[in-house]
Amino acid sequence: MSDLLFKKVDYTVGKLLEDIALGEIALPDIQRPFVWDTTRVRDLLDSMYRGYPIGTLLFWENGYPGEHRFIGTGTKQKTPRLLIVDGQQRLTALYAVMKGVLIVDKNFQKRRLRVAFNPLEEKFEVTNTAIERDPNWVPDISLLWRPDFDQYAFVSLYLERLGERRELTPEVRKRIPQAVQRLVNLINYPMTALEISVQATEEQVSEIFVRINSRGRSLNQADFILTLMSVFWDEGRKQLEDFSRRAKQPSPDGSPSPYNPYFQPQPDQLLRVSVALAFRRARLEQIYSILRGKDLQTGEFSPERRDAQFALLQEAQTQVLNLQHWHDFLKVVKRAGYIHPSLITSRTSLVYTYALWLIGKLDFGLDPHALRDLMARWFFMSALTGRYTSSPETRMDQDLALLRGLSRPEEFVRVLEQEMAAVLTPDYWEVTLPNELATASAQSPGQAAFFASLCLLDAPVLYSSMKVRDLLDPNAQAYKSALERHHLFPRKYLMRQGIADKRDINQVANYALVEWHDNIRINDRPPAEYAPEYERRFSPQELKEMYRYHALPEGWYAMDYPEFLEKRRRLMAAVIREGFERLRGGHGTG
């Protein structure tokens, strides 16, 4: 048998909580937001009370035994010997309930986990107002594990209050102290942990996790790095969490914030930007080892090397979370024509474009206006082609590698221009893109690019004098999470023609942006009926220009449906190309 990568260690809940409090086991309150609802905490305690097993924990040796660090003022804590790989939610629940401490929930709000216990029925429940008024219940069991808890006085007071409401039989007077004692004794509940050796690689730890975790959730490299930040740079993790939380809604007092209608990043996405800026790498596989201070050649760990790498990450993260940088970058997204959040089909393209924008600004010193136009084209290209959809880390690593050894701004521009030219060839515009538009996906990158192009080209809404960019402006409408698209050939009309396949009916080429009231009036009428009616609103020249923008061939509403789709896809590709080229000309989107 090969050498074991783990050892089995038996704990009690009390020992686990003690090791967490001392810092032997890493359980920062923000390591990962507590995502359980309180009913799951209630059920966990109920299982323990009834003597049921609650699963095995999985720890990973940190590799820095005996090292210490200062936290806060006047307190000294060991650097955790063990990192939690599996069991985070269970241990957080037990620590929060038995220690009576606050947790950070999935909305990044601090709150107490309050679980109630009924000694008469030996039943747990989530605390509510009714339970707080009911003498049968202990509304917050956290007090049972306080250092100053007096069990005899507690039971006596409980029996006294209960006796004021009902007659207590000898059996009840005997059963209640036993139930309370059994609950208090959960501090001695046995648990088993598998402690993975420090010699195990991140890949091996991930594989072990997947194989023993019945839920099947796989770990990723960002999980490892964010956990490591919680241990060695707690403030950095808090900054990422706080930025992500504040990006979700406007600041209540009007103060500067990362909020915007386009992109609410997750901490791991911001981390990827920081890593790209600090280390010019996208693959997180080796970054975790680097941040642990591991020499990739010798395999040895060094606290000094670790501190130096964290200093680089800290410097980069300061730039990533800089509000001026953040909002200047978001102007790149708007400049690219992607002014509505539903147009953004690839958040990874946003993440990596932000990283490249920061590199161009901070490391190459590009002119802000030139950088904005260049990166708008890069975002447009990467979103349209799905550049970062398959193997995104590998693709971005290749892009970053192209910049190594370069220092002058013109070199940065040349590399990105060459990459865009290599991707957006004449064959792409004339063959590949029209074929890719043959889809019914609501998240089609081609359709998003088409609508973005209409914004760039200052096009009107179909059969309207209103501009597309005004229709889509998220700041000028009640915030809509999805676009209101109109079937040019209505669904019910097509079904009457014998076309019932949803993939055919919902083809991207069958959609257009129209105003809401026009959409309602069109209903399911044939295009040959409603289109001539709307055409009378416009002069022949206006109509010709409008149809050109919306990629509608002459006499489109009299065509056979398959012929219409094929012709419109080619015209849509030409409009997308024109929109992309408009970004080169320095024209704004309004």
Side-chain angles (χ1 to χ4, degrees), residues 17 20 25-36 41 44 54 56-59 82-96 103-104 113 191 209 213 215 217 219 223 226-227 230-231 237 241:
L17 300 187
I20 290 169
I25 299 173
L27 187 70
D29 62 346
I30 48 77
Q31 177 177 336
R32 183 179 295 139
F34 188 71
V35 297
W36 277 10
V41 181
L44 175 72
I54 60 171
T56 301
L57 305 171
L58 190 62
F59 298 151
L82 298 171
L83 305 178
I84 301 171
V85 177
D86 190 24
Q88 167 75 23
Q89 301 297 311
R90 281 169 287 168
L91 289 178
T92 300
L94 293 174
Y95 193 78
I103 56 95
V104 176
L113 293 176
M191 296 192 73
F209 178 89
N213 191 325
R215 289 167 295 173
R217 188 187 73 84
L219 296 174
D223 286 328
L226 289 170
T227 299
S230 296
V231 176
R237 174 68 184 260
E241 300 277 12

Side-chain angles (χ1 to χ4, degrees), residues 233-517:
W233 185 31
D234 208 22
E235 183 60 30
R237 174 68 184 260
K238 287 179 179 177
Q239 290 170 1
L240 293 177
E241 300 277 12
D242 181 63
F243 191 96
S244 296
R245 176 182 56 80
R246 293 190 298 126
K248 295 180 183 298
Q249 55 189 4
S251 175
D253 58 3
S255 59
S257 83
Y259 172 75
N260 68 93
Y262 309 107
F263 182 38
Q264 290 75 49
Q266 296 298 317
D268 66 300
Q269 293 171 322
L270 296 169
L271 173 67
R272 289 182 180 279
V273 181
S274 299
V275 165
L277 180 61
F279 305 107
R280 294 286 182 89
R281 293 175 181 265
R283 295 179 65 86
L284 300 186
E285 181 178 352
Q286 293 182 329
I287 295 298
Y288 179 79
S289 294
I290 290 172
L291 287 174
R292 291 178 73 203
K294 183 178 182 179
D295 187 313
L296 299 182
Q297 300 298 322
T298 66
E300 296 179 353
F301 292 94
S302 163
E304 292 77 19
R305 187 182 298 111
R306 179 198 67 214
D307 292 344
Q309 301 297 345
F310 262 106
L312 290 175
L313 183 64
Q314 182 173 355
E315 181 181 351
Q317 183 167 300
T318 299
Q319 302 293 348
V320 172
L321 303 187
N322 180 293
L323 287 180
Q324 188 64 55
H325 292 340
W326 175 248
H327 287 291
D328 282 349
F329 166 69
L330 292 173
K331 293 176 183 176
V332 169
V333 181
K334 186 177 180 182
R335 174 73 183 94
Y338 287 73
I339 66 173
H340 191 281
S342 287
L343 299 182
I344 299 171
T345 58
S346 171
R347 291 177 176 269
T348 308
S349 289
L350 271 177
V351 168
Y352 287 145
T353 302
Y354 185 31
L356 290 170
W357 181 87
L358 284 168
I359 290 172
K361 176 182 176 65
L362 301 173
D363 295 350
F364 287 86
L366 261 74
D367 170 77
H369 297 286
L371 178 62
R372 183 169 61 200
D373 283 354
L374 175 68
M375 297 315 302
R377 296 175 69 238
W378 183 267
F379 174 71
F380 191 111
M381 178 276 297
S382 61
L384 172 62
T385 62
R387 187 176 184 85
Y388 301 115
T389 300
S390 177
S391 303
E393 287 188 353
T394 300
R395 179 69 265 183
M396 182 58 175
D397 231 19
Q398 293 168 350
D399 291 341
L400 291 170
L402 296 172
L403 301 175
R404 290 182 191 141
L406 307 183
S407 59
R408 299 194 307 275
E410 58 269 23
E411 293 176 318
F412 181 88
V413 173
R414 175 179 54 78
V415 165
L416 267 59
E417 291 284 9
Q418 287 177 343
E419 280 299 298
M420 287 188 281
V423 172
L424 302 179
T425 63
D427 276 351
Y428 175 81
W429 293 118
E430 296 166 13
V431 179
T432 305
L433 181 55
N435 289 337
E436 290 178 346
L437 288 170
T439 177
S441 171
Q443 289 293 303
S444 164
Q447 179 176 251
F450 178 67
F451 292 154
S453 297
L454 294 180
C455 295
L456 290 168
L457 298 172
D458 200 28
V461 175
L462 185 60
Y463 300 132
S464 170
S465 59
M466 185 181 191
K467 299 294 187 182
V468 169
R469 66 166 182 261
D470 295 327
L471 179 72
L472 299 185
D473 185 356
N475 297 310
Q477 57 181 307
Y479 181 82
K480 297 175 183 176
S481 61
L483 297 176
E484 290 187 354
R485 304 173 301 165
H486 161 68
H487 284 93
L488 291 165
F489 285 72
R491 178 174 61 86
K492 290 184 179 179
Y493 165 74
L494 289 174
M495 294 182 72
R496 290 197 297 268
Q497 305 305 307
I499 301 174
D501 192 319
K502 288 184 178 180
R503 188 180 183 280
D504 293 330
I505 293 172
N506 295 327
Q507 282 275 312
V508 161
N510 192 30
Y511 281 114
L513 295 173
V514 300
E515 291 196 61
W516 178 81
H517 52 81

